[in-house]
Amino acid sequence: MITKVDGVRVHGGDELVIKIRAHRPGDPLALTVLRDGRERTLELVLGSANGS
């Protein structure tokens, strides 16, 4: 489950989509996920909707 975007707590799926769409393809992004009871932050670079 994704709990934070760039260190800011996400409270639902709609909010997650809004926070991600506020970034552009090529932007770095930090997602914090909760898995097996532990939080972990993953660094990634956004791609585009068409895969390029």
Side-chain angles (χ1 to χ4, degrees):
M1 173 188 330
I2 298 172
T3 59
K4 297 178 187 174
V5 175
D6 286 336
V8 179
R9 178 91 33 211
V10 174
H11 297 98
D14 290 339
E15 186 178 354
L16 173 63
V17 170
I18 290 167
K19 288 185 183 294
I20 290 175
R21 286 188 176 170
H23 294 78
R24 299 180 57 161
D27 284 351
L29 191 67
L31 296 180
T32 302
V33 297
L34 179 63
R35 189 174 198 179
D36 297 327
R38 294 176 42 184
E39 279 194 328
R40 177 178 176 196
T41 300
L42 308 169
E43 303 286 334
L44 55 98
V45 175
L46 290 180
S48 64
N50 65 7
S52 61

